[in-house]
Amino acid sequence: MLTTPKNAETQTEISAQELERRVAILKRFRELLSQQRNHFQEYLTVLDKQKDVIEKGNPDDLIVHVDLEEKIIGDIFAIQKVIDPLEAMYQTHVTETLPGEVREVPSLKAALEELRSEAVIRSARNRDLLSRRMEDLRHEMKTLRANPYAIHRSVFSQQSAALVDIKG
């Protein structure tokens, strides 16, 4: 028969207050992971719309999308600053005492990682698309400058009258 020392028994037993604290950590951690997942899904939607805007070439719409993208990324980083310490608490305290309660967390983390990977891929795609679009515009501008028939007249290069009739 295997006996455990009294110290080991008291270490495995936790108070109701400690259990409530650990449950609160778990709930908050799950909530933040869900929020982060939602922000990444929103970010992916913005990246898809941004791709369409880049292809259409409307600079005003592109500025709006870039601003929205920056806001979402700021939200993602803000939530991540809270998730990191909670995850450390979760790893050290919650997983060992509430094994049945933590099943949802790994699936949320996996979904979050998948969304994060997809966001990186789409962001790189948009960056490449924007670079190509800018290169096309530079080439178009060079072509226009090199065209001798294009209107390059300035106000000062136009000929003006040599004589002015002041008598009327």
Side-chain angles (χ1 to χ4, degrees), residues 119-157:
V120 168
I121 291 167
R122 290 185 192 181
S123 181
R125 177 196 64 199
N126 283 0
R127 193 172 38 254
D128 291 342
L129 186 61
L130 186 58
S131 294
R132 285 193 305 262
R133 178 76 176 129
M134 288 176 61
E135 189 60 38
D136 290 345
L137 288 173
R138 284 187 193 110
H139 179 45
E140 189 176 320
M141 288 172 54
K142 285 180 184 177
T143 304
L144 287 174
R145 286 183 187 149
N147 186 352
Y149 298 107
I151 301 175
H152 286 104
R153 297 184 188 140
S154 121
V155 176
F156 301 108
S157 68

PDB file of all heavy atoms in Angstrom, residues 119-157:
ATOM      1  N   ALA A 119      -3.022  35.667 -40.874  1.00  0.00           N
ATOM      2  CA  ALA A 119      -2.868  37.124 -40.925  1.00  0.00           C
ATOM      3  C   ALA A 119      -1.496  37.510 -41.457  1.00  0.00           C
ATOM      4  O   ALA A 119      -1.369  38.443 -42.254  1.00  0.00           O
ATOM      5  CB  ALA A 119      -3.095  37.729 -39.540  1.00  0.00           C
ATOM      6  N   VAL A 120      -0.471  36.786 -41.038  1.00  0.00           N
ATOM      7  CA  VAL A 120       0.885  37.062 -41.531  1.00  0.00           C
ATOM      8  C   VAL A 120       0.957  36.830 -43.041  1.00  0.00           C
ATOM      9  O   VAL A 120       1.527  37.638 -43.785  1.00  0.00           O
ATOM     10  CB  VAL A 120       1.916  36.188 -40.779  1.00  0.00           C
ATOM     11  CG1 VAL A 120       3.275  36.224 -41.454  1.00  0.00           C
ATOM     12  CG2 VAL A 120       2.023  36.640 -39.336  1.00  0.00           C
ATOM     13  N   ILE A 121       0.354  35.751 -43.506  1.00  0.00           N
ATOM     14  CA  ILE A 121       0.368  35.421 -44.938  1.00  0.00           C
ATOM     15  C   ILE A 121      -0.364  36.499 -45.743  1.00  0.00           C
ATOM     16  O   ILE A 121       0.141  36.994 -46.753  1.00  0.00           O
ATOM     17  CB  ILE A 121      -0.255  34.034 -45.181  1.00  0.00           C
ATOM     18  CG1 ILE A 121       0.656  32.945 -44.623  1.00  0.00           C
ATOM     19  CG2 ILE A 121      -0.534  33.799 -46.657  1.00  0.00           C
ATOM     20  CD1 ILE A 121       0.004  31.573 -44.536  1.00  0.00           C
ATOM     21  N   ARG A 122      -1.566  36.871 -45.289  1.00  0.00           N
ATOM     22  CA  ARG A 122      -2.348  37.871 -46.030  1.00  0.00           C
ATOM     23  C   ARG A 122      -1.701  39.250 -45.983  1.00  0.00           C
ATOM     24  O   ARG A 122      -1.756  39.999 -46.960  1.00  0.00           O
ATOM     25  CB  ARG A 122      -3.770  37.937 -45.485  1.00  0.00           C
ATOM     26  CG  ARG A 122      -4.566  36.702 -45.816  1.00  0.00           C
ATOM     27  CD  ARG A 122      -5.988  36.837 -45.384  1.00  0.00           C
ATOM     28  NE  ARG A 122      -6.690  35.562 -45.440  1.00  0.00           N
ATOM     29  CZ  ARG A 122      -7.952  35.404 -45.142  1.00  0.00           C
ATOM     30  NH1 ARG A 122      -8.680  36.440 -44.765  1.00  0.00           N
ATOM     31  NH2 ARG A 122      -8.515  34.223 -45.206  1.00  0.00           N
ATOM     32  N   SER A 123      -1.100  39.577 -44.869  1.00  0.00           N
ATOM     33  CA  SER A 123      -0.418  40.869 -44.762  1.00  0.00           C
ATOM     34  C   SER A 123       0.763  40.932 -45.729  1.00  0.00           C
ATOM     35  O   SER A 123       0.981  41.946 -46.398  1.00  0.00           O
ATOM     36  CB  SER A 123       0.051  41.091 -43.332  1.00  0.00           C
ATOM     37  OG  SER A 123       0.690  42.321 -43.204  1.00  0.00           O
ATOM     38  N   ALA A 124       1.505  39.852 -45.816  1.00  0.00           N
ATOM     39  CA  ALA A 124       2.631  39.795 -46.764  1.00  0.00           C
ATOM     40  C   ALA A 124       2.126  39.892 -48.198  1.00  0.00           C
ATOM     41  O   ALA A 124       2.727  40.583 -49.031  1.00  0.00           O
ATOM     42  CB  ALA A 124       3.420  38.503 -46.561  1.00  0.00           C
ATOM     43  N   ARG A 125       1.008  39.229 -48.483  1.00  0.00           N
ATOM     44  CA  ARG A 125       0.419  39.293 -49.831  1.00  0.00           C
ATOM     45  C   ARG A 125       0.043  40.740 -50.166  1.00  0.00           C
ATOM     46  O   ARG A 125       0.338  41.223 -51.258  1.00  0.00           O
ATOM     47  CB  ARG A 125      -0.808  38.393 -49.888  1.00  0.00           C
ATOM     48  CG  ARG A 125      -1.542  38.432 -51.219  1.00  0.00           C
ATOM     49  CD  ARG A 125      -2.925  37.869 -51.139  1.00  0.00           C
ATOM     50  NE  ARG A 125      -3.731  38.703 -50.253  1.00  0.00           N
ATOM     51  CZ  ARG A 125      -4.853  38.333 -49.672  1.00  0.00           C
ATOM     52  NH1 ARG A 125      -5.319  37.129 -49.849  1.00  0.00           N
ATOM     53  NH2 ARG A 125      -5.522  39.156 -48.911  1.00  0.00           N
ATOM     54  N   ASN A 126      -0.602  41.426 -49.234  1.00  0.00           N
ATOM     55  CA  ASN A 126      -0.995  42.816 -49.487  1.00  0.00           C
ATOM     56  C   ASN A 126       0.218  43.724 -49.641  1.00  0.00           C
ATOM     57  O   ASN A 126       0.218  44.637 -50.456  1.00  0.00           O
ATOM     58  CB  ASN A 126      -1.896  43.328 -48.360  1.00  0.00           C
ATOM     59  CG  ASN A 126      -3.307  42.816 -48.474  1.00  0.00           C
ATOM     60  OD1 ASN A 126      -3.638  42.069 -49.387  1.00  0.00           O
ATOM     61  ND2 ASN A 126      -4.147  43.195 -47.532  1.00  0.00           N
ATOM     62  N   ARG A 127       1.249  43.473 -48.850  1.00  0.00           N
ATOM     63  CA  ARG A 127       2.468  44.273 -48.949  1.00  0.00           C
ATOM     64  C   ARG A 127       3.103  44.099 -50.328  1.00  0.00           C
ATOM     65  O   ARG A 127       3.509  45.071 -50.968  1.00  0.00           O
ATOM     66  CB  ARG A 127       3.429  43.859 -47.835  1.00  0.00           C
ATOM     67  CG  ARG A 127       4.564  44.788 -47.624  1.00  0.00           C
ATOM     68  CD  ARG A 127       5.411  44.461 -46.386  1.00  0.00           C
ATOM     69  NE  ARG A 127       5.621  43.054 -46.118  1.00  0.00           N
ATOM     70  CZ  ARG A 127       5.035  42.365 -45.143  1.00  0.00           C
ATOM     71  NH1 ARG A 127       4.190  42.949 -44.332  1.00  0.00           N
ATOM     72  NH2 ARG A 127       5.295  41.093 -44.970  1.00  0.00           N
ATOM     73  N   ASP A 128       3.153  42.861 -50.818  1.00  0.00           N
ATOM     74  CA  ASP A 128       3.696  42.601 -52.155  1.00  0.00           C
ATOM     75  C   ASP A 128       2.826  43.243 -53.241  1.00  0.00           C
ATOM     76  O   ASP A 128       3.347  43.832 -54.192  1.00  0.00           O
ATOM     77  CB  ASP A 128       3.805  41.093 -52.419  1.00  0.00           C
ATOM     78  CG  ASP A 128       4.865  40.433 -51.562  1.00  0.00           C
ATOM     79  OD1 ASP A 128       5.735  41.151 -51.024  1.00  0.00           O
ATOM     80  OD2 ASP A 128       4.808  39.196 -51.429  1.00  0.00           O
ATOM     81  N   LEU A 129       1.531  43.130 -53.080  1.00  0.00           N
ATOM     82  CA  LEU A 129       0.595  43.721 -54.043  1.00  0.00           C
ATOM     83  C   LEU A 129       0.753  45.242 -54.080  1.00  0.00           C
ATOM     84  O   LEU A 129       0.783  45.855 -55.158  1.00  0.00           O
ATOM     85  CB  LEU A 129      -0.839  43.341 -53.676  1.00  0.00           C
ATOM     86  CG  LEU A 129      -1.949  43.754 -54.640  1.00  0.00           C
ATOM     87  CD1 LEU A 129      -1.736  43.121 -56.010  1.00  0.00           C
ATOM     88  CD2 LEU A 129      -3.300  43.335 -54.074  1.00  0.00           C
ATOM     89  N   LEU A 130       0.882  45.841 -52.920  1.00  0.00           N
ATOM     90  CA  LEU A 130       1.066  47.293 -52.843  1.00  0.00           C
ATOM     91  C   LEU A 130       2.405  47.708 -53.456  1.00  0.00           C
ATOM     92  O   LEU A 130       2.478  48.713 -54.162  1.00  0.00           O
ATOM     93  CB  LEU A 130       0.969  47.762 -51.390  1.00  0.00           C
ATOM     94  CG  LEU A 130       0.992  49.260 -51.153  1.00  0.00           C
ATOM     95  CD1 LEU A 130      -0.143  49.957 -51.898  1.00  0.00           C
ATOM     96  CD2 LEU A 130       0.902  49.561 -49.663  1.00  0.00           C
ATOM     97  N   SER A 131       3.442  46.932 -53.233  1.00  0.00           N
ATOM     98  CA  SER A 131       4.750  47.228 -53.832  1.00  0.00           C
ATOM     99  C   SER A 131       4.683  47.173 -55.353  1.00  0.00           C
ATOM    100  O   SER A 131       5.231  48.046 -56.039  1.00  0.00           O
ATOM    101  CB  SER A 131       5.802  46.236 -53.337  1.00  0.00           C
ATOM    102  OG  SER A 131       6.035  46.402 -51.980  1.00  0.00           O
ATOM    103  N   ARG A 132       4.000  46.156 -55.873  1.00  0.00           N
ATOM    104  CA  ARG A 132       3.851  46.052 -57.338  1.00  0.00           C
ATOM    105  C   ARG A 132       3.044  47.233 -57.877  1.00  0.00           C
ATOM    106  O   ARG A 132       3.375  47.793 -58.925  1.00  0.00           O
ATOM    107  CB  ARG A 132       3.196  44.728 -57.718  1.00  0.00           C
ATOM    108  CG  ARG A 132       4.106  43.541 -57.613  1.00  0.00           C
ATOM    109  CD  ARG A 132       3.518  42.323 -58.304  1.00  0.00           C
ATOM    110  NE  ARG A 132       2.198  41.985 -57.816  1.00  0.00           N
ATOM    111  CZ  ARG A 132       1.945  41.055 -56.897  1.00  0.00           C
ATOM    112  NH1 ARG A 132       2.944  40.370 -56.386  1.00  0.00           N
ATOM    113  NH2 ARG A 132       0.713  40.805 -56.501  1.00  0.00           N
ATOM    114  N   ARG A 133       1.985  47.599 -57.164  1.00  0.00           N
ATOM    115  CA  ARG A 133       1.139  48.721 -57.598  1.00  0.00           C
ATOM    116  C   ARG A 133       1.945  50.023 -57.602  1.00  0.00           C
ATOM    117  O   ARG A 133       1.834  50.822 -58.540  1.00  0.00           O
ATOM    118  CB  ARG A 133      -0.073  48.833 -56.675  1.00  0.00           C
ATOM    119  CG  ARG A 133      -0.986  49.975 -57.000  1.00  0.00           C
ATOM    120  CD  ARG A 133      -1.826  49.669 -58.233  1.00  0.00           C
ATOM    121  NE  ARG A 133      -2.740  50.755 -58.448  1.00  0.00           N
ATOM    122  CZ  ARG A 133      -2.885  51.392 -59.597  1.00  0.00           C
ATOM    123  NH1 ARG A 133      -2.231  50.993 -60.658  1.00  0.00           N
ATOM    124  NH2 ARG A 133      -3.720  52.385 -59.702  1.00  0.00           N
ATOM    125  N   MET A 134       2.754  50.230 -56.586  1.00  0.00           N
ATOM    126  CA  MET A 134       3.584  51.442 -56.533  1.00  0.00           C
ATOM    127  C   MET A 134       4.619  51.447 -57.656  1.00  0.00           C
ATOM    128  O   MET A 134       4.881  52.490 -58.256  1.00  0.00           O
ATOM    129  CB  MET A 134       4.266  51.550 -55.166  1.00  0.00           C
ATOM    130  CG  MET A 134       3.293  51.902 -54.055  1.00  0.00           C
ATOM    131  SD  MET A 134       4.033  51.918 -52.418  1.00  0.00           S
ATOM    132  CE  MET A 134       5.261  53.178 -52.580  1.00  0.00           C
ATOM    133  N   GLU A 135       5.191  50.298 -57.958  1.00  0.00           N
ATOM    134  CA  GLU A 135       6.153  50.204 -59.054  1.00  0.00           C
ATOM    135  C   GLU A 135       5.480  50.505 -60.387  1.00  0.00           C
ATOM    136  O   GLU A 135       6.054  51.206 -61.239  1.00  0.00           O
ATOM    137  CB  GLU A 135       6.803  48.816 -59.067  1.00  0.00           C
ATOM    138  CG  GLU A 135       7.949  48.696 -60.028  1.00  0.00           C
ATOM    139  CD  GLU A 135       9.078  49.670 -59.740  1.00  0.00           C
ATOM    140  OE1 GLU A 135       9.377  49.927 -58.574  1.00  0.00           O
ATOM    141  OE2 GLU A 135       9.660  50.179 -60.723  1.00  0.00           O
ATOM    142  N   ASP A 136       4.261  50.012 -60.575  1.00  0.00           N
ATOM    143  CA  ASP A 136       3.513  50.321 -61.794  1.00  0.00           C
ATOM    144  C   ASP A 136       3.260  51.819 -61.920  1.00  0.00           C
ATOM    145  O   ASP A 136       3.383  52.391 -63.008  1.00  0.00           O
ATOM    146  CB  ASP A 136       2.170  49.570 -61.821  1.00  0.00           C
ATOM    147  CG  ASP A 136       2.335  48.077 -62.008  1.00  0.00           C
ATOM    148  OD1 ASP A 136       3.443  47.638 -62.401  1.00  0.00           O
ATOM    149  OD2 ASP A 136       1.350  47.344 -61.745  1.00  0.00           O
ATOM    150  N   LEU A 137       2.903  52.459 -60.815  1.00  0.00           N
ATOM    151  CA  LEU A 137       2.659  53.907 -60.839  1.00  0.00           C
ATOM    152  C   LEU A 137       3.943  54.680 -61.144  1.00  0.00           C
ATOM    153  O   LEU A 137       3.919  55.665 -61.883  1.00  0.00           O
ATOM    154  CB  LEU A 137       2.061  54.373 -59.510  1.00  0.00           C
ATOM    155  CG  LEU A 137       0.615  53.956 -59.256  1.00  0.00           C
ATOM    156  CD1 LEU A 137       0.198  54.320 -57.837  1.00  0.00           C
ATOM    157  CD2 LEU A 137      -0.314  54.591 -60.273  1.00  0.00           C
ATOM    158  N   ARG A 138       5.062  54.234 -60.576  1.00  0.00           N
ATOM    159  CA  ARG A 138       6.349  54.901 -60.877  1.00  0.00           C
ATOM    160  C   ARG A 138       6.686  54.774 -62.360  1.00  0.00           C
ATOM    161  O   ARG A 138       7.134  55.740 -62.982  1.00  0.00           O
ATOM    162  CB  ARG A 138       7.465  54.276 -60.033  1.00  0.00           C
ATOM    163  CG  ARG A 138       7.455  54.713 -58.608  1.00  0.00           C
ATOM    164  CD  ARG A 138       8.692  54.188 -57.868  1.00  0.00           C
ATOM    165  NE  ARG A 138       8.517  54.360 -56.453  1.00  0.00           N
ATOM    166  CZ  ARG A 138       8.333  53.380 -55.584  1.00  0.00           C
ATOM    167  NH1 ARG A 138       8.332  52.121 -55.984  1.00  0.00           N
ATOM    168  NH2 ARG A 138       8.172  53.638 -54.315  1.00  0.00           N
ATOM    169  N   HIS A 139       6.464  53.603 -62.895  1.00  0.00           N
ATOM    170  CA  HIS A 139       6.727  53.383 -64.322  1.00  0.00           C
ATOM    171  C   HIS A 139       5.806  54.260 -65.174  1.00  0.00           C
ATOM    172  O   HIS A 139       6.244  54.858 -66.166  1.00  0.00           O
ATOM    173  CB  HIS A 139       6.538  51.903 -64.659  1.00  0.00           C
ATOM    174  CG  HIS A 139       6.767  51.562 -66.093  1.00  0.00           C
ATOM    175  ND1 HIS A 139       7.834  52.035 -66.823  1.00  0.00           N
ATOM    176  CD2 HIS A 139       6.058  50.791 -66.961  1.00  0.00           C
ATOM    177  CE1 HIS A 139       7.769  51.584 -68.053  1.00  0.00           C
ATOM    178  NE2 HIS A 139       6.689  50.829 -68.167  1.00  0.00           N
ATOM    179  N   GLU A 140       4.556  54.345 -64.800  1.00  0.00           N
ATOM    180  CA  GLU A 140       3.597  55.186 -65.525  1.00  0.00           C
ATOM    181  C   GLU A 140       4.008  56.661 -65.472  1.00  0.00           C
ATOM    182  O   GLU A 140       3.922  57.377 -66.475  1.00  0.00           O
ATOM    183  CB  GLU A 140       2.210  55.000 -64.906  1.00  0.00           C
ATOM    184  CG  GLU A 140       1.094  55.634 -65.699  1.00  0.00           C
ATOM    185  CD  GLU A 140      -0.265  55.324 -65.073  1.00  0.00           C
ATOM    186  OE1 GLU A 140      -0.488  54.191 -64.611  1.00  0.00           O
ATOM    187  OE2 GLU A 140      -1.091  56.251 -65.053  1.00  0.00           O
ATOM    188  N   MET A 141       4.504  57.097 -64.318  1.00  0.00           N
ATOM    189  CA  MET A 141       4.952  58.492 -64.194  1.00  0.00           C
ATOM    190  C   MET A 141       6.172  58.751 -65.070  1.00  0.00           C
ATOM    191  O   MET A 141       6.272  59.809 -65.709  1.00  0.00           O
ATOM    192  CB  MET A 141       5.264  58.813 -62.732  1.00  0.00           C
ATOM    193  CG  MET A 141       4.011  58.934 -61.874  1.00  0.00           C
ATOM    194  SD  MET A 141       4.323  59.100 -60.100  1.00  0.00           S
ATOM    195  CE  MET A 141       5.416  60.479 -60.018  1.00  0.00           C
ATOM    196  N   LYS A 142       7.111  57.827 -65.118  1.00  0.00           N
ATOM    197  CA  LYS A 142       8.285  57.986 -65.967  1.00  0.00           C
ATOM    198  C   LYS A 142       7.877  58.058 -67.432  1.00  0.00           C
ATOM    199  O   LYS A 142       8.428  58.841 -68.204  1.00  0.00           O
ATOM    200  CB  LYS A 142       9.261  56.825 -65.760  1.00  0.00           C
ATOM    201  CG  LYS A 142      10.033  56.898 -64.478  1.00  0.00           C
ATOM    202  CD  LYS A 142      10.965  55.708 -64.354  1.00  0.00           C
ATOM    203  CE  LYS A 142      11.675  55.714 -63.025  1.00  0.00           C
ATOM    204  NZ  LYS A 142      12.539  54.541 -62.850  1.00  0.00           N
ATOM    205  N   THR A 143       6.914  57.239 -67.820  1.00  0.00           N
ATOM    206  CA  THR A 143       6.432  57.229 -69.187  1.00  0.00           C
ATOM    207  C   THR A 143       5.799  58.572 -69.538  1.00  0.00           C
ATOM    208  O   THR A 143       6.031  59.108 -70.630  1.00  0.00           O
ATOM    209  CB  THR A 143       5.402  56.096 -69.391  1.00  0.00           C
ATOM    210  OG1 THR A 143       6.008  54.863 -69.021  1.00  0.00           O
ATOM    211  CG2 THR A 143       4.946  56.019 -70.823  1.00  0.00           C
ATOM    212  N   LEU A 144       5.019  59.112 -68.629  1.00  0.00           N
ATOM    213  CA  LEU A 144       4.390  60.414 -68.878  1.00  0.00           C
ATOM    214  C   LEU A 144       5.421  61.528 -68.981  1.00  0.00           C
ATOM    215  O   LEU A 144       5.286  62.433 -69.803  1.00  0.00           O
ATOM    216  CB  LEU A 144       3.380  60.735 -67.779  1.00  0.00           C
ATOM    217  CG  LEU A 144       2.083  59.948 -67.814  1.00  0.00           C
ATOM    218  CD1 LEU A 144       1.242  60.267 -66.584  1.00  0.00           C
ATOM    219  CD2 LEU A 144       1.296  60.253 -69.083  1.00  0.00           C
ATOM    220  N   ARG A 145       6.443  61.485 -68.152  1.00  0.00           N
ATOM    221  CA  ARG A 145       7.493  62.518 -68.206  1.00  0.00           C
ATOM    222  C   ARG A 145       8.288  62.444 -69.506  1.00  0.00           C
ATOM    223  O   ARG A 145       8.735  63.460 -70.011  1.00  0.00           O
ATOM    224  CB  ARG A 145       8.439  62.355 -67.024  1.00  0.00           C
ATOM    225  CG  ARG A 145       7.848  62.793 -65.731  1.00  0.00           C
ATOM    226  CD  ARG A 145       8.846  62.685 -64.612  1.00  0.00           C
ATOM    227  NE  ARG A 145       8.216  62.966 -63.338  1.00  0.00           N
ATOM    228  CZ  ARG A 145       8.568  62.440 -62.201  1.00  0.00           C
ATOM    229  NH1 ARG A 145       9.589  61.589 -62.160  1.00  0.00           N
ATOM    230  NH2 ARG A 145       7.930  62.738 -61.097  1.00  0.00           N
ATOM    231  N   ALA A 146       8.467  61.244 -70.007  1.00  0.00           N
ATOM    232  CA  ALA A 146       9.261  61.066 -71.218  1.00  0.00           C
ATOM    233  C   ALA A 146       8.472  61.380 -72.483  1.00  0.00           C
ATOM    234  O   ALA A 146       9.050  61.549 -73.555  1.00  0.00           O
ATOM    235  CB  ALA A 146       9.789  59.636 -71.287  1.00  0.00           C
ATOM    236  N   ASN A 147       7.174  61.501 -72.409  1.00  0.00           N
ATOM    237  CA  ASN A 147       6.319  61.754 -73.572  1.00  0.00           C
ATOM    238  C   ASN A 147       6.461  63.222 -73.999  1.00  0.00           C
ATOM    239  O   ASN A 147       6.079  64.127 -73.271  1.00  0.00           O
ATOM    240  CB  ASN A 147       4.867  61.442 -73.217  1.00  0.00           C
ATOM    241  CG  ASN A 147       3.943  61.546 -74.403  1.00  0.00           C
ATOM    242  OD1 ASN A 147       4.332  61.994 -75.478  1.00  0.00           O
ATOM    243  ND2 ASN A 147       2.712  61.132 -74.201  1.00  0.00           N
ATOM    244  N   PRO A 148       7.005  63.487 -75.219  1.00  0.00           N
ATOM    245  CA  PRO A 148       7.183  64.876 -75.655  1.00  0.00           C
ATOM    246  C   PRO A 148       5.857  65.563 -75.972  1.00  0.00           C
ATOM    247  O   PRO A 148       5.789  66.785 -76.009  1.00  0.00           O
ATOM    248  CB  PRO A 148       8.044  64.749 -76.905  1.00  0.00           C
ATOM    249  CG  PRO A 148       7.817  63.372 -77.402  1.00  0.00           C
ATOM    250  CD  PRO A 148       7.497  62.538 -76.204  1.00  0.00           C
ATOM    251  N   TYR A 149       4.819  64.808 -76.189  1.00  0.00           N
ATOM    252  CA  TYR A 149       3.531  65.400 -76.528  1.00  0.00           C
ATOM    253  C   TYR A 149       2.657  65.673 -75.296  1.00  0.00           C
ATOM    254  O   TYR A 149       1.578  66.230 -75.415  1.00  0.00           O
ATOM    255  CB  TYR A 149       2.765  64.493 -77.491  1.00  0.00           C
ATOM    256  CG  TYR A 149       3.514  64.318 -78.786  1.00  0.00           C
ATOM    257  CD1 TYR A 149       4.145  63.129 -79.089  1.00  0.00           C
ATOM    258  CD2 TYR A 149       3.612  65.373 -79.689  1.00  0.00           C
ATOM    259  CE1 TYR A 149       4.849  62.968 -80.266  1.00  0.00           C
ATOM    260  CE2 TYR A 149       4.316  65.219 -80.876  1.00  0.00           C
ATOM    261  CZ  TYR A 149       4.937  64.018 -81.161  1.00  0.00           C
ATOM    262  OH  TYR A 149       5.619  63.872 -82.323  1.00  0.00           O
ATOM    263  N   ALA A 150       3.136  65.230 -74.162  1.00  0.00           N
ATOM    264  CA  ALA A 150       2.373  65.486 -72.931  1.00  0.00           C
ATOM    265  C   ALA A 150       2.449  66.968 -72.594  1.00  0.00           C
ATOM    266  O   ALA A 150       3.387  67.673 -72.962  1.00  0.00           O
ATOM    267  CB  ALA A 150       2.946  64.666 -71.783  1.00  0.00           C
ATOM    268  N   ILE A 151       1.479  67.460 -71.920  1.00  0.00           N
ATOM    269  CA  ILE A 151       1.431  68.884 -71.578  1.00  0.00           C
ATOM    270  C   ILE A 151       2.373  69.124 -70.409  1.00  0.00           C
ATOM    271  O   ILE A 151       2.123  68.705 -69.286  1.00  0.00           O
ATOM    272  CB  ILE A 151      -0.007  69.296 -71.215  1.00  0.00           C
ATOM    273  CG1 ILE A 151      -0.921  69.018 -72.381  1.00  0.00           C
ATOM    274  CG2 ILE A 151      -0.060  70.734 -70.768  1.00  0.00           C
ATOM    275  CD1 ILE A 151      -2.377  69.286 -72.095  1.00  0.00           C
ATOM    276  N   HIS A 152       3.491  69.807 -70.713  1.00  0.00           N
ATOM    277  CA  HIS A 152       4.472  70.160 -69.696  1.00  0.00           C
ATOM    278  C   HIS A 152       4.631  71.675 -69.622  1.00  0.00           C
ATOM    279  O   HIS A 152       5.704  72.181 -69.349  1.00  0.00           O
ATOM    280  CB  HIS A 152       5.843  69.549 -70.020  1.00  0.00           C
ATOM    281  CG  HIS A 152       5.912  68.083 -69.770  1.00  0.00           C
ATOM    282  ND1 HIS A 152       5.879  67.166 -70.767  1.00  0.00           N
ATOM    283  CD2 HIS A 152       6.000  67.367 -68.617  1.00  0.00           C
ATOM    284  CE1 HIS A 152       5.959  65.953 -70.271  1.00  0.00           C
ATOM    285  NE2 HIS A 152       6.026  66.048 -68.966  1.00  0.00           N
ATOM    286  N   ARG A 153       3.628  72.370 -69.902  1.00  0.00           N
ATOM    287  CA  ARG A 153       3.766  73.827 -69.946  1.00  0.00           C
ATOM    288  C   ARG A 153       3.568  74.414 -68.571  1.00  0.00           C
ATOM    289  O   ARG A 153       2.662  74.074 -67.854  1.00  0.00           O
ATOM    290  CB  ARG A 153       2.731  74.415 -70.892  1.00  0.00           C
ATOM    291  CG  ARG A 153       2.918  73.946 -72.307  1.00  0.00           C
ATOM    292  CD  ARG A 153       1.937  74.623 -73.216  1.00  0.00           C
ATOM    293  NE  ARG A 153       2.026  74.013 -74.528  1.00  0.00           N
ATOM    294  CZ  ARG A 153       1.016  73.760 -75.289  1.00  0.00           C
ATOM    295  NH1 ARG A 153      -0.201  74.078 -74.901  1.00  0.00           N
ATOM    296  NH2 ARG A 153       1.177  73.212 -76.461  1.00  0.00           N
ATOM    297  N   SER A 154       4.398  75.321 -68.261  1.00  0.00           N
ATOM    298  CA  SER A 154       4.235  76.064 -67.024  1.00  0.00           C
ATOM    299  C   SER A 154       3.679  77.432 -67.390  1.00  0.00           C
ATOM    300  O   SER A 154       3.708  77.854 -68.539  1.00  0.00           O
ATOM    301  CB  SER A 154       5.582  76.144 -66.312  1.00  0.00           C
ATOM    302  OG  SER A 154       5.996  77.440 -66.117  1.00  0.00           O
ATOM    303  N   VAL A 155       3.198  78.147 -66.437  1.00  0.00           N
ATOM    304  CA  VAL A 155       2.651  79.483 -66.680  1.00  0.00           C
ATOM    305  C   VAL A 155       3.733  80.409 -67.214  1.00  0.00           C
ATOM    306  O   VAL A 155       3.484  81.272 -68.057  1.00  0.00           O
ATOM    307  CB  VAL A 155       2.059  80.057 -65.364  1.00  0.00           C
ATOM    308  CG1 VAL A 155       1.577  81.474 -65.538  1.00  0.00           C
ATOM    309  CG2 VAL A 155       0.961  79.168 -64.849  1.00  0.00           C
ATOM    310  N   PHE A 156       4.963  80.207 -66.793  1.00  0.00           N
ATOM    311  CA  PHE A 156       6.046  81.092 -67.186  1.00  0.00           C
ATOM    312  C   PHE A 156       6.633  80.752 -68.551  1.00  0.00           C
ATOM    313  O   PHE A 156       7.315  81.561 -69.154  1.00  0.00           O
ATOM    314  CB  PHE A 156       7.152  81.048 -66.123  1.00  0.00           C
ATOM    315  CG  PHE A 156       6.656  81.456 -64.772  1.00  0.00           C
ATOM    316  CD1 PHE A 156       6.486  80.531 -63.762  1.00  0.00           C
ATOM    317  CD2 PHE A 156       6.321  82.780 -64.506  1.00  0.00           C
ATOM    318  CE1 PHE A 156       6.019  80.893 -62.528  1.00  0.00           C
ATOM    319  CE2 PHE A 156       5.852  83.157 -63.266  1.00  0.00           C
ATOM    320  CZ  PHE A 156       5.697  82.216 -62.267  1.00  0.00           C
ATOM    321  N   SER A 157       6.378  79.550 -69.030  1.00  0.00           N
ATOM    322  CA  SER A 157       6.947  79.177 -70.317  1.00  0.00           C
ATOM    323  C   SER A 157       6.064  79.612 -71.480  1.00  0.00           C
ATOM    324  O   SER A 157       6.478  79.545 -72.621  1.00  0.00           O
ATOM    325  CB  SER A 157       7.176  77.674 -70.377  1.00  0.00           C
ATOM    326  OG  SER A 157       5.940  77.005 -70.397  1.00  0.00           O
TER     327      SER A 157
END
